[in-house]
Amino acid sequence: MADPTTIIKRGPLVAVRDRHYSEPIPDEFLPLFEAAKLRVDDNDHHVTLYRGGCNYSFVWGPSVEGEWFARHNYDEGVRVSDRDAGLRWALGLDVEAVA
């Protein structure tokens, strides 16, 4: 089990406490993750969404190339304006989020 001094658990979301690249994922996303039956690991610069124990989508950012990107397992990915836009894209909520 993860060390509770280094992580924060909120519903289907597990996030690191020590952050450098982004703020914690806003609470408004929690019911969306639950409705989509997703478990979410937020590692600050890389967010992985799981469904049924399998990788479903990824959002990663500035530590890699200075920008944020999102992709599903089956595609090449897209550039997005920020992490939250990538999460909306991954959830199918905002196709206009693509930068």
Side-chain angles (χ1 to χ4, degrees), residues 22 25-26 28-29 32-33 38 40 44-49 56-62 67-73 75 77-99:
S22 64
I25 292 174
E28 68 191 62
F29 281 100
L32 301 173
F33 295 148
L38 295 171
V40 181
D44 189 23
H45 67 283
H46 187 271
V47 181
T48 306
L49 293 85
Y56 170 72
S57 192
F58 309 92
V59 178
W60 71 98
E67 300 187 50
W68 286 94
F69 300 89
R71 72 179 279 268
H72 294 294
N73 277 345
D75 64 25
V78 295
R79 184 175 313 205
V80 291
S81 58
D82 59 27
R83 188 228 26 232
D84 292 354
L87 292 173
R88 285 190 295 277
W89 179 88
L91 289 163
L93 300 175
D94 189 2
V95 295
E96 298 301 319
V98 177

mmCIF file of all heavy atoms in Angstrom, residues 22 25-26 28-29 32-33 38 40 44-49 56-62 67-73 75 77-99:
data_model
loop_
_atom_site.group_PDB
_atom_site.id
_atom_site.type_symbol
_atom_site.label_atom_id
_atom_site.label_comp_id
_atom_site.label_asym_id
_atom_site.label_seq_id
_atom_site.Cartn_x
_atom_site.Cartn_y
_atom_site.Cartn_z
ATOM 1 N N SER A 22 1.790 21.149 -11.474
ATOM 2 C CA SER A 22 0.357 21.406 -11.552
ATOM 3 C C SER A 22 -0.247 21.435 -10.154
ATOM 4 O O SER A 22 0.318 20.910 -9.204
ATOM 5 C CB SER A 22 -0.346 20.332 -12.398
ATOM 6 O OG SER A 22 -0.237 19.072 -11.771
ATOM 7 N N ILE A 25 -5.846 18.024 -8.982
ATOM 8 C CA ILE A 25 -6.989 17.944 -9.894
ATOM 9 C C ILE A 25 -8.222 18.462 -9.158
ATOM 10 O O ILE A 25 -8.502 18.042 -8.036
ATOM 11 C CB ILE A 25 -7.196 16.500 -10.381
ATOM 12 C CG1 ILE A 25 -6.018 16.093 -11.286
ATOM 13 C CG2 ILE A 25 -8.526 16.348 -11.115
ATOM 14 C CD1 ILE A 25 -6.031 14.649 -11.718
ATOM 15 N N PRO A 26 -8.969 19.386 -9.773
ATOM 16 C CA PRO A 26 -10.146 19.959 -9.111
ATOM 17 C C PRO A 26 -11.212 18.909 -8.782
ATOM 18 O O PRO A 26 -11.395 17.939 -9.521
ATOM 19 C CB PRO A 26 -10.684 20.966 -10.130
ATOM 20 C CG PRO A 26 -9.533 21.269 -11.022
ATOM 21 C CD PRO A 26 -8.714 20.005 -11.068
ATOM 22 N N GLU A 28 -14.264 18.998 -9.195
ATOM 23 C CA GLU A 28 -15.306 18.881 -10.220
ATOM 24 C C GLU A 28 -15.096 17.664 -11.115
ATOM 25 O O GLU A 28 -16.040 17.163 -11.729
ATOM 26 C CB GLU A 28 -15.375 20.138 -11.079
ATOM 27 C CG GLU A 28 -14.143 20.324 -11.947
ATOM 28 C CD GLU A 28 -14.065 21.678 -12.612
ATOM 29 O OE1 GLU A 28 -13.991 22.682 -11.893
ATOM 30 O OE2 GLU A 28 -14.078 21.706 -13.854
ATOM 31 N N PHE A 29 -13.861 17.156 -11.193
ATOM 32 C CA PHE A 29 -13.582 15.987 -12.026
ATOM 33 C C PHE A 29 -13.963 14.676 -11.341
ATOM 34 O O PHE A 29 -14.169 13.665 -12.017
ATOM 35 C CB PHE A 29 -12.091 15.935 -12.399
ATOM 36 C CG PHE A 29 -11.717 16.860 -13.510
ATOM 37 C CD1 PHE A 29 -11.117 18.074 -13.235
ATOM 38 C CD2 PHE A 29 -11.949 16.527 -14.835
ATOM 39 C CE1 PHE A 29 -10.763 18.948 -14.248
ATOM 40 C CE2 PHE A 29 -11.603 17.387 -15.864
ATOM 41 C CZ PHE A 29 -11.010 18.603 -15.569
ATOM 42 N N LEU A 32 -17.067 12.917 -12.509
ATOM 43 C CA LEU A 32 -16.882 12.519 -13.910
ATOM 44 C C LEU A 32 -16.068 11.239 -14.000
ATOM 45 O O LEU A 32 -16.376 10.348 -14.801
ATOM 46 C CB LEU A 32 -16.210 13.645 -14.691
ATOM 47 C CG LEU A 32 -16.956 14.981 -14.707
ATOM 48 C CD1 LEU A 32 -16.095 16.058 -15.363
ATOM 49 C CD2 LEU A 32 -18.300 14.845 -15.391
ATOM 50 N N PHE A 33 -15.003 11.142 -13.192
ATOM 51 C CA PHE A 33 -14.202 9.917 -13.151
ATOM 52 C C PHE A 33 -15.052 8.749 -12.681
ATOM 53 O O PHE A 33 -14.993 7.652 -13.244
ATOM 54 C CB PHE A 33 -13.003 10.071 -12.211
ATOM 55 C CG PHE A 33 -11.984 11.094 -12.641
ATOM 56 C CD1 PHE A 33 -11.269 11.792 -11.689
ATOM 57 C CD2 PHE A 33 -11.723 11.367 -13.972
ATOM 58 C CE1 PHE A 33 -10.320 12.729 -12.047
ATOM 59 C CE2 PHE A 33 -10.779 12.301 -14.349
ATOM 60 C CZ PHE A 33 -10.070 12.978 -13.380
ATOM 61 N N LEU A 38 -13.570 5.242 -13.934
ATOM 62 C CA LEU A 38 -12.121 5.369 -14.067
ATOM 63 C C LEU A 38 -11.459 5.485 -12.695
ATOM 64 O O LEU A 38 -12.003 6.101 -11.780
ATOM 65 C CB LEU A 38 -11.769 6.613 -14.885
ATOM 66 C CG LEU A 38 -12.218 6.601 -16.328
ATOM 67 C CD1 LEU A 38 -12.010 7.971 -16.959
ATOM 68 C CD2 LEU A 38 -11.469 5.541 -17.115
ATOM 69 N N VAL A 40 -7.861 6.979 -11.199
ATOM 70 C CA VAL A 40 -6.926 7.976 -11.702
ATOM 71 C C VAL A 40 -5.714 8.076 -10.785
ATOM 72 O O VAL A 40 -5.846 8.251 -9.577
ATOM 73 C CB VAL A 40 -7.616 9.357 -11.796
ATOM 74 C CG1 VAL A 40 -6.664 10.396 -12.339
ATOM 75 C CG2 VAL A 40 -8.862 9.263 -12.662
ATOM 76 N N ASP A 44 1.470 14.376 -10.690
ATOM 77 C CA ASP A 44 1.821 15.770 -10.924
ATOM 78 C C ASP A 44 2.081 16.053 -12.398
ATOM 79 O O ASP A 44 1.340 16.789 -13.015
ATOM 80 C CB ASP A 44 3.009 16.193 -10.052
ATOM 81 C CG ASP A 44 3.274 17.684 -10.088
ATOM 82 O OD1 ASP A 44 2.348 18.454 -10.400
ATOM 83 O OD2 ASP A 44 4.411 18.084 -9.810
ATOM 84 N N HIS A 45 3.107 15.489 -12.998
ATOM 85 C CA HIS A 45 3.414 15.750 -14.407
ATOM 86 C C HIS A 45 2.897 14.656 -15.338
ATOM 87 O O HIS A 45 3.032 14.749 -16.555
ATOM 88 C CB HIS A 45 4.927 15.914 -14.603
ATOM 89 C CG HIS A 45 5.677 14.652 -14.369
ATOM 90 N ND1 HIS A 45 5.925 14.180 -13.104
ATOM 91 C CD2 HIS A 45 6.207 13.767 -15.223
ATOM 92 C CE1 HIS A 45 6.595 13.040 -13.199
ATOM 93 N NE2 HIS A 45 6.770 12.773 -14.469
ATOM 94 N N HIS A 46 2.274 13.625 -14.775
ATOM 95 C CA HIS A 46 1.769 12.505 -15.568
ATOM 96 C C HIS A 46 0.532 11.955 -14.874
ATOM 97 O O HIS A 46 0.603 11.568 -13.715
ATOM 98 C CB HIS A 46 2.844 11.421 -15.680
ATOM 99 C CG HIS A 46 2.471 10.317 -16.603
ATOM 100 N ND1 HIS A 46 1.792 9.202 -16.190
ATOM 101 C CD2 HIS A 46 2.672 10.168 -17.930
ATOM 102 C CE1 HIS A 46 1.602 8.397 -17.228
ATOM 103 N NE2 HIS A 46 2.121 8.970 -18.290
ATOM 104 N N VAL A 47 -0.594 11.940 -15.580
ATOM 105 C CA VAL A 47 -1.840 11.413 -15.028
ATOM 106 C C VAL A 47 -2.232 10.203 -15.865
ATOM 107 O O VAL A 47 -2.289 10.276 -17.088
ATOM 108 C CB VAL A 47 -2.968 12.465 -15.069
ATOM 109 C CG1 VAL A 47 -4.247 11.895 -14.469
ATOM 110 C CG2 VAL A 47 -2.555 13.739 -14.343
ATOM 111 N N THR A 48 -2.484 9.073 -15.198
ATOM 112 C CA THR A 48 -2.907 7.862 -15.879
ATOM 113 C C THR A 48 -4.325 7.532 -15.450
ATOM 114 O O THR A 48 -4.614 7.511 -14.255
ATOM 115 C CB THR A 48 -1.981 6.676 -15.556
ATOM 116 O OG1 THR A 48 -0.632 7.047 -15.843
ATOM 117 C CG2 THR A 48 -2.352 5.452 -16.357
ATOM 118 N N LEU A 49 -5.195 7.283 -16.412
ATOM 119 C CA LEU A 49 -6.569 6.898 -16.146
ATOM 120 C C LEU A 49 -6.714 5.419 -16.473
ATOM 121 O O LEU A 49 -6.273 4.977 -17.534
ATOM 122 C CB LEU A 49 -7.533 7.715 -17.007
ATOM 123 C CG LEU A 49 -7.591 9.210 -16.687
ATOM 124 C CD1 LEU A 49 -6.495 9.967 -17.408
ATOM 125 C CD2 LEU A 49 -8.931 9.773 -17.065
ATOM 126 N N TYR A 56 -6.282 3.336 -19.722
ATOM 127 C CA TYR A 56 -7.309 3.847 -20.624
ATOM 128 C C TYR A 56 -6.817 5.099 -21.353
ATOM 129 O O TYR A 56 -6.989 5.240 -22.552
ATOM 130 C CB TYR A 56 -8.576 4.164 -19.823
ATOM 131 C CG TYR A 56 -9.620 4.908 -20.596
ATOM 132 C CD1 TYR A 56 -10.359 4.273 -21.591
ATOM 133 C CD2 TYR A 56 -9.857 6.253 -20.359
ATOM 134 C CE1 TYR A 56 -11.317 4.956 -22.318
ATOM 135 C CE2 TYR A 56 -10.815 6.944 -21.082
ATOM 136 C CZ TYR A 56 -11.540 6.296 -22.056
ATOM 137 O OH TYR A 56 -12.477 6.978 -22.774
ATOM 138 N N SER A 57 -6.196 6.002 -20.612
ATOM 139 C CA SER A 57 -5.753 7.253 -21.200
ATOM 140 C C SER A 57 -4.627 7.842 -20.353
ATOM 141 O O SER A 57 -4.464 7.476 -19.190
ATOM 142 C CB SER A 57 -6.936 8.220 -21.270
ATOM 143 O OG SER A 57 -6.634 9.328 -22.072
ATOM 144 N N PHE A 58 -3.879 8.764 -20.953
ATOM 145 C CA PHE A 58 -2.768 9.425 -20.276
ATOM 146 C C PHE A 58 -2.821 10.916 -20.555
ATOM 147 O O PHE A 58 -3.199 11.326 -21.644
ATOM 148 C CB PHE A 58 -1.411 8.931 -20.795
ATOM 149 C CG PHE A 58 -1.246 7.448 -20.807
ATOM 150 C CD1 PHE A 58 -1.573 6.710 -21.928
ATOM 151 C CD2 PHE A 58 -0.761 6.796 -19.693
ATOM 152 C CE1 PHE A 58 -1.415 5.341 -21.950
ATOM 153 C CE2 PHE A 58 -0.599 5.419 -19.705
ATOM 154 C CZ PHE A 58 -0.930 4.689 -20.832
ATOM 155 N N VAL A 59 -2.404 11.699 -19.587
ATOM 156 C CA VAL A 59 -2.171 13.129 -19.787
ATOM 157 C C VAL A 59 -0.803 13.388 -19.184
ATOM 158 O O VAL A 59 -0.548 13.017 -18.035
ATOM 159 C CB VAL A 59 -3.242 13.997 -19.090
ATOM 160 C CG1 VAL A 59 -2.934 15.475 -19.270
ATOM 161 C CG2 VAL A 59 -4.637 13.662 -19.609
ATOM 162 N N TRP A 60 0.101 13.958 -19.953
ATOM 163 C CA TRP A 60 1.426 14.215 -19.413
ATOM 164 C C TRP A 60 1.885 15.597 -19.824
ATOM 165 O O TRP A 60 1.411 16.161 -20.786
ATOM 166 C CB TRP A 60 2.409 13.131 -19.820
ATOM 167 C CG TRP A 60 2.797 13.129 -21.257
ATOM 168 C CD1 TRP A 60 3.914 13.670 -21.800
ATOM 169 C CD2 TRP A 60 2.073 12.539 -22.348
ATOM 170 N NE1 TRP A 60 3.935 13.461 -23.159
ATOM 171 C CE2 TRP A 60 2.816 12.779 -23.516
ATOM 172 C CE3 TRP A 60 0.876 11.848 -22.446
ATOM 173 C CZ2 TRP A 60 2.405 12.338 -24.764
ATOM 174 C CZ3 TRP A 60 0.450 11.418 -23.694
ATOM 175 C CH2 TRP A 60 1.216 11.660 -24.827
ATOM 176 N N GLY A 61 2.808 16.125 -19.057
ATOM 177 C CA GLY A 61 3.131 17.501 -19.329
ATOM 178 C C GLY A 61 4.504 17.981 -18.999
ATOM 179 O O GLY A 61 5.433 17.204 -18.975
ATOM 180 N N PRO A 62 4.595 19.226 -18.674
ATOM 181 C CA PRO A 62 5.731 20.095 -18.939
ATOM 182 C C PRO A 62 7.110 19.542 -18.640
ATOM 183 O O PRO A 62 8.071 19.990 -19.226
ATOM 184 C CB PRO A 62 5.445 21.336 -18.105
ATOM 185 C CG PRO A 62 4.418 20.946 -17.131
ATOM 186 C CD PRO A 62 3.680 19.782 -17.714
ATOM 187 N N GLU A 67 5.208 21.179 -22.667
ATOM 188 C CA GLU A 67 3.806 21.340 -23.006
ATOM 189 C C GLU A 67 3.030 20.135 -22.496
ATOM 190 O O GLU A 67 3.615 19.140 -22.087
ATOM 191 C CB GLU A 67 3.650 21.470 -24.518
ATOM 192 C CG GLU A 67 4.417 22.665 -25.066
ATOM 193 C CD GLU A 67 4.125 22.897 -26.523
ATOM 194 O OE1 GLU A 67 2.935 22.936 -26.863
ATOM 195 O OE2 GLU A 67 5.078 23.021 -27.293
ATOM 196 N N TRP A 68 1.701 20.241 -22.537
ATOM 197 C CA TRP A 68 0.832 19.149 -22.090
ATOM 198 C C TRP A 68 0.300 18.374 -23.293
ATOM 199 O O TRP A 68 -0.005 18.953 -24.335
ATOM 200 C CB TRP A 68 -0.345 19.701 -21.280
ATOM 201 C CG TRP A 68 0.064 20.150 -19.920
ATOM 202 C CD1 TRP A 68 0.422 21.418 -19.560
ATOM 203 C CD2 TRP A 68 0.172 19.350 -18.752
ATOM 204 N NE1 TRP A 68 0.747 21.448 -18.226
ATOM 205 C CE2 TRP A 68 0.601 20.196 -17.698
ATOM 206 C CE3 TRP A 68 -0.042 18.010 -18.467
ATOM 207 C CZ2 TRP A 68 0.803 19.747 -16.402
ATOM 208 C CZ3 TRP A 68 0.165 17.558 -17.173
ATOM 209 C CH2 TRP A 68 0.575 18.410 -16.168
ATOM 210 N N PHE A 69 0.169 17.061 -23.130
ATOM 211 C CA PHE A 69 -0.332 16.165 -24.167
ATOM 212 C C PHE A 69 -1.325 15.192 -23.546
ATOM 213 O O PHE A 69 -1.284 14.936 -22.343
ATOM 214 C CB PHE A 69 0.811 15.359 -24.799
ATOM 215 C CG PHE A 69 1.850 16.216 -25.441
ATOM 216 C CD1 PHE A 69 2.928 16.687 -24.719
ATOM 217 C CD2 PHE A 69 1.742 16.556 -26.779
ATOM 218 C CE1 PHE A 69 3.889 17.496 -25.311
ATOM 219 C CE2 PHE A 69 2.704 17.364 -27.385
ATOM 220 C CZ PHE A 69 3.775 17.828 -26.640
ATOM 221 N N ALA A 70 -2.197 14.640 -24.381
ATOM 222 C CA ALA A 70 -3.150 13.628 -23.935
ATOM 223 C C ALA A 70 -3.281 12.573 -25.019
ATOM 224 O O ALA A 70 -3.143 12.869 -26.203
ATOM 225 C CB ALA A 70 -4.512 14.265 -23.663
ATOM 226 N N ARG A 71 -3.533 11.349 -24.591
ATOM 227 C CA ARG A 71 -3.755 10.277 -25.563
ATOM 228 C C ARG A 71 -4.514 9.145 -24.917
ATOM 229 O O ARG A 71 -4.477 8.964 -23.703
ATOM 230 C CB ARG A 71 -2.450 9.758 -26.144
ATOM 231 C CG ARG A 71 -1.610 8.934 -25.196
ATOM 232 C CD ARG A 71 -0.327 8.422 -25.818
ATOM 233 N NE ARG A 71 -0.496 7.257 -26.623
ATOM 234 C CZ ARG A 71 -0.367 6.013 -26.169
ATOM 235 N NH1 ARG A 71 -0.085 5.781 -24.919
ATOM 236 N NH2 ARG A 71 -0.530 5.006 -26.986
ATOM 237 N N HIS A 72 -5.216 8.407 -25.755
ATOM 238 C CA HIS A 72 -5.812 7.137 -25.349
ATOM 239 C C HIS A 72 -4.814 6.061 -25.776
ATOM 240 O O HIS A 72 -3.923 6.310 -26.588
ATOM 241 C CB HIS A 72 -7.163 6.915 -26.025
ATOM 242 C CG HIS A 72 -8.207 7.900 -25.592
ATOM 243 N ND1 HIS A 72 -8.707 7.948 -24.312
ATOM 244 C CD2 HIS A 72 -8.836 8.877 -26.275
ATOM 245 C CE1 HIS A 72 -9.603 8.905 -24.223
ATOM 246 N NE2 HIS A 72 -9.699 9.500 -25.411
ATOM 247 N N ASN A 73 -4.977 4.873 -25.270
ATOM 248 C CA ASN A 73 -4.048 3.796 -25.604
ATOM 249 C C ASN A 73 -3.937 3.542 -27.097
ATOM 250 O O ASN A 73 -2.922 3.083 -27.581
ATOM 251 C CB ASN A 73 -4.473 2.496 -24.928
ATOM 252 C CG ASN A 73 -3.993 2.442 -23.506
ATOM 253 O OD1 ASN A 73 -3.129 3.207 -23.109
ATOM 254 N ND2 ASN A 73 -4.564 1.549 -22.732
ATOM 255 N N ASP A 75 -4.320 5.745 -29.746
ATOM 256 C CA ASP A 75 -4.067 6.824 -30.698
ATOM 257 C C ASP A 75 -2.700 7.464 -30.465
ATOM 258 O O ASP A 75 -1.984 7.108 -29.547
ATOM 259 C CB ASP A 75 -5.190 7.868 -30.684
ATOM 260 C CG ASP A 75 -5.299 8.602 -29.356
ATOM 261 O OD1 ASP A 75 -4.306 8.693 -28.623
ATOM 262 O OD2 ASP A 75 -6.390 9.109 -29.059
ATOM 263 N N GLY A 77 -2.168 10.654 -29.812
ATOM 264 C CA GLY A 77 -2.204 11.722 -28.836
ATOM 265 C C GLY A 77 -2.348 13.095 -29.460
ATOM 266 O O GLY A 77 -2.190 13.272 -30.664
ATOM 267 N N VAL A 78 -2.676 14.057 -28.603
ATOM 268 C CA VAL A 78 -2.888 15.433 -29.035
ATOM 269 C C VAL A 78 -2.216 16.378 -28.046
ATOM 270 O O VAL A 78 -2.007 16.041 -26.884
ATOM 271 C CB VAL A 78 -4.393 15.769 -29.112
ATOM 272 C CG1 VAL A 78 -5.082 14.944 -30.187
ATOM 273 C CG2 VAL A 78 -5.079 15.588 -27.777
ATOM 274 N N ARG A 79 -1.880 17.554 -28.518
ATOM 275 C CA ARG A 79 -1.365 18.609 -27.648
ATOM 276 C C ARG A 79 -2.566 19.333 -27.055
ATOM 277 O O ARG A 79 -3.520 19.636 -27.756
ATOM 278 C CB ARG A 79 -0.518 19.582 -28.447
ATOM 279 C CG ARG A 79 0.125 20.653 -27.607
ATOM 280 C CD ARG A 79 1.009 21.473 -28.457
ATOM 281 N NE ARG A 79 1.808 20.533 -29.244
ATOM 282 C CZ ARG A 79 2.980 20.788 -29.762
ATOM 283 N NH1 ARG A 79 3.509 21.964 -29.638
ATOM 284 N NH2 ARG A 79 3.636 19.890 -30.440
ATOM 285 N N VAL A 80 -2.516 19.607 -25.756
ATOM 286 C CA VAL A 80 -3.610 20.309 -25.080
ATOM 287 C C VAL A 80 -3.039 21.515 -24.347
ATOM 288 O O VAL A 80 -1.836 21.601 -24.099
ATOM 289 C CB VAL A 80 -4.376 19.383 -24.108
ATOM 290 C CG1 VAL A 80 -5.156 18.328 -24.880
ATOM 291 C CG2 VAL A 80 -3.437 18.721 -23.110
ATOM 292 N N SER A 81 -3.915 22.450 -23.989
ATOM 293 C CA SER A 81 -3.446 23.695 -23.380
ATOM 294 C C SER A 81 -2.935 23.515 -21.960
ATOM 295 O O SER A 81 -2.022 24.223 -21.528
ATOM 296 C CB SER A 81 -4.562 24.738 -23.407
ATOM 297 O OG SER A 81 -5.706 24.256 -22.739
ATOM 298 N N ASP A 82 -3.511 22.581 -21.209
ATOM 299 C CA ASP A 82 -3.069 22.322 -19.841
ATOM 300 C C ASP A 82 -3.578 20.955 -19.403
ATOM 301 O O ASP A 82 -4.279 20.280 -20.157
ATOM 302 C CB ASP A 82 -3.519 23.435 -18.874
ATOM 303 C CG ASP A 82 -5.024 23.628 -18.831
ATOM 304 O OD1 ASP A 82 -5.786 22.666 -19.099
ATOM 305 O OD2 ASP A 82 -5.467 24.747 -18.523
ATOM 306 N N ARG A 83 -3.236 20.568 -18.194
ATOM 307 C CA ARG A 83 -3.611 19.242 -17.704
ATOM 308 C C ARG A 83 -5.122 19.069 -17.668
ATOM 309 O O ARG A 83 -5.654 18.039 -18.077
ATOM 310 C CB ARG A 83 -3.020 19.032 -16.312
ATOM 311 C CG ARG A 83 -3.179 17.619 -15.792
ATOM 312 C CD ARG A 83 -3.710 17.425 -14.387
ATOM 313 N NE ARG A 83 -4.525 18.454 -13.857
ATOM 314 C CZ ARG A 83 -4.305 19.032 -12.666
ATOM 315 N NH1 ARG A 83 -3.292 18.696 -11.934
ATOM 316 N NH2 ARG A 83 -5.118 19.975 -12.228
ATOM 317 N N ASP A 84 -5.858 20.064 -17.180
ATOM 318 C CA ASP A 84 -7.306 19.935 -17.068
ATOM 319 C C ASP A 84 -7.968 19.814 -18.438
ATOM 320 O O ASP A 84 -8.928 19.056 -18.607
ATOM 321 C CB ASP A 84 -7.889 21.100 -16.282
ATOM 322 C CG ASP A 84 -7.471 21.063 -14.815
ATOM 323 O OD1 ASP A 84 -6.829 20.076 -14.385
ATOM 324 O OD2 ASP A 84 -7.780 22.028 -14.091
ATOM 325 N N ALA A 85 -7.452 20.526 -19.434
ATOM 326 C CA ALA A 85 -7.959 20.374 -20.802
ATOM 327 C C ALA A 85 -7.706 18.957 -21.294
ATOM 328 O O ALA A 85 -8.543 18.365 -21.974
ATOM 329 C CB ALA A 85 -7.307 21.394 -21.728
ATOM 330 N N GLY A 86 -6.562 18.395 -20.943
ATOM 331 C CA GLY A 86 -6.256 17.012 -21.308
ATOM 332 C C GLY A 86 -7.199 16.030 -20.644
ATOM 333 O O GLY A 86 -7.624 15.045 -21.254
ATOM 334 N N LEU A 87 -7.555 16.281 -19.389
ATOM 335 C CA LEU A 87 -8.505 15.411 -18.699
ATOM 336 C C LEU A 87 -9.888 15.508 -19.342
ATOM 337 O O LEU A 87 -10.557 14.486 -19.538
ATOM 338 C CB LEU A 87 -8.580 15.771 -17.217
ATOM 339 C CG LEU A 87 -7.321 15.477 -16.405
ATOM 340 C CD1 LEU A 87 -7.455 16.038 -14.995
ATOM 341 C CD2 LEU A 87 -7.028 13.984 -16.371
ATOM 342 N N ARG A 88 -10.318 16.723 -19.689
ATOM 343 C CA ARG A 88 -11.606 16.877 -20.365
ATOM 344 C C ARG A 88 -11.592 16.150 -21.712
ATOM 345 O O ARG A 88 -12.546 15.483 -22.081
ATOM 346 C CB ARG A 88 -11.950 18.359 -20.552
ATOM 347 C CG ARG A 88 -12.404 19.022 -19.261
ATOM 348 C CD ARG A 88 -12.966 20.413 -19.491
ATOM 349 N NE ARG A 88 -11.965 21.355 -19.978
ATOM 350 C CZ ARG A 88 -11.120 22.015 -19.192
ATOM 351 N NH1 ARG A 88 -11.129 21.834 -17.898
ATOM 352 N NH2 ARG A 88 -10.240 22.847 -19.723
ATOM 353 N N TRP A 89 -10.477 16.265 -22.438
ATOM 354 C CA TRP A 89 -10.349 15.561 -23.716
ATOM 355 C C TRP A 89 -10.429 14.052 -23.499
ATOM 356 O O TRP A 89 -11.138 13.345 -24.217
ATOM 357 C CB TRP A 89 -9.037 15.945 -24.392
ATOM 358 C CG TRP A 89 -8.824 15.249 -25.696
ATOM 359 C CD1 TRP A 89 -9.250 15.664 -26.919
ATOM 360 C CD2 TRP A 89 -8.154 14.008 -25.906
ATOM 361 N NE1 TRP A 89 -8.876 14.747 -27.876
ATOM 362 C CE2 TRP A 89 -8.206 13.724 -27.284
ATOM 363 C CE3 TRP A 89 -7.513 13.106 -25.063
ATOM 364 C CZ2 TRP A 89 -7.643 12.581 -27.830
ATOM 365 C CZ3 TRP A 89 -6.953 11.962 -25.603
ATOM 366 C CH2 TRP A 89 -7.023 11.711 -26.979
ATOM 367 N N ALA A 90 -9.711 13.543 -22.503
ATOM 368 C CA ALA A 90 -9.699 12.109 -22.220
ATOM 369 C C ALA A 90 -11.095 11.599 -21.848
ATOM 370 O O ALA A 90 -11.455 10.470 -22.176
ATOM 371 C CB ALA A 90 -8.708 11.798 -21.107
ATOM 372 N N LEU A 91 -11.871 12.449 -21.193
ATOM 373 C CA LEU A 91 -13.235 12.080 -20.806
ATOM 374 C C LEU A 91 -14.236 12.296 -21.941
ATOM 375 O O LEU A 91 -15.408 11.980 -21.806
ATOM 376 C CB LEU A 91 -13.665 12.887 -19.578
ATOM 377 C CG LEU A 91 -12.970 12.515 -18.271
ATOM 378 C CD1 LEU A 91 -13.157 13.613 -17.237
ATOM 379 C CD2 LEU A 91 -13.487 11.183 -17.761
ATOM 380 N N GLY A 92 -13.784 12.839 -23.060
ATOM 381 C CA GLY A 92 -14.657 13.079 -24.201
ATOM 382 C C GLY A 92 -15.570 14.284 -24.027
ATOM 383 O O GLY A 92 -16.592 14.393 -24.681
ATOM 384 N N LEU A 93 -15.184 15.199 -23.155
ATOM 385 C CA LEU A 93 -16.040 16.343 -22.846
ATOM 386 C C LEU A 93 -15.734 17.581 -23.678
ATOM 387 O O LEU A 93 -16.587 18.447 -23.809
ATOM 388 C CB LEU A 93 -15.893 16.713 -21.360
ATOM 389 C CG LEU A 93 -16.279 15.610 -20.389
ATOM 390 C CD1 LEU A 93 -15.984 16.058 -18.971
ATOM 391 C CD2 LEU A 93 -17.746 15.266 -20.556
ATOM 392 N N ASP A 94 -14.523 17.703 -24.171
ATOM 393 C CA ASP A 94 -14.145 18.966 -24.794
ATOM 394 C C ASP A 94 -13.143 18.720 -25.911
ATOM 395 O O ASP A 94 -11.947 18.801 -25.715
ATOM 396 C CB ASP A 94 -13.545 19.897 -23.736
ATOM 397 C CG ASP A 94 -13.324 21.310 -24.253
ATOM 398 O OD1 ASP A 94 -13.662 21.583 -25.412
ATOM 399 O OD2 ASP A 94 -12.819 22.134 -23.480
ATOM 400 N N VAL A 95 -13.662 18.435 -27.092
ATOM 401 C CA VAL A 95 -12.747 18.219 -28.215
ATOM 402 C C VAL A 95 -12.055 19.514 -28.624
ATOM 403 O O VAL A 95 -11.035 19.481 -29.274
ATOM 404 C CB VAL A 95 -13.450 17.574 -29.421
ATOM 405 C CG1 VAL A 95 -13.920 16.176 -29.087
ATOM 406 C CG2 VAL A 95 -14.606 18.420 -29.909
ATOM 407 N N GLU A 96 -12.597 20.648 -28.206
ATOM 408 C CA GLU A 96 -11.974 21.926 -28.513
ATOM 409 C C GLU A 96 -10.768 22.200 -27.610
ATOM 410 O O GLU A 96 -10.073 23.179 -27.793
ATOM 411 C CB GLU A 96 -12.994 23.060 -28.350
ATOM 412 C CG GLU A 96 -14.178 22.953 -29.281
ATOM 413 C CD GLU A 96 -13.785 22.955 -30.741
ATOM 414 O OE1 GLU A 96 -12.884 23.743 -31.133
ATOM 415 O OE2 GLU A 96 -14.361 22.165 -31.510
ATOM 416 N N ALA A 97 -10.514 21.306 -26.652
ATOM 417 C CA ALA A 97 -9.395 21.504 -25.743
ATOM 418 C C ALA A 97 -8.057 21.318 -26.439
ATOM 419 O O ALA A 97 -7.023 21.689 -25.917
ATOM 420 C CB ALA A 97 -9.497 20.528 -24.562
ATOM 421 N N VAL A 98 -8.087 20.738 -27.623
ATOM 422 C CA VAL A 98 -6.852 20.458 -28.335
ATOM 423 C C VAL A 98 -6.218 21.775 -28.771
ATOM 424 O O VAL A 98 -6.845 22.619 -29.394
ATOM 425 C CB VAL A 98 -7.116 19.561 -29.556
ATOM 426 C CG1 VAL A 98 -5.835 19.329 -30.331
ATOM 427 C CG2 VAL A 98 -7.739 18.259 -29.116
ATOM 428 N N ALA A 99 -4.943 21.961 -28.394
ATOM 429 C CA ALA A 99 -4.232 23.218 -28.714
ATOM 430 C C ALA A 99 -3.716 23.182 -30.140
ATOM 431 O O ALA A 99 -3.413 22.175 -30.679
ATOM 432 C CB ALA A 99 -3.088 23.414 -27.740
#
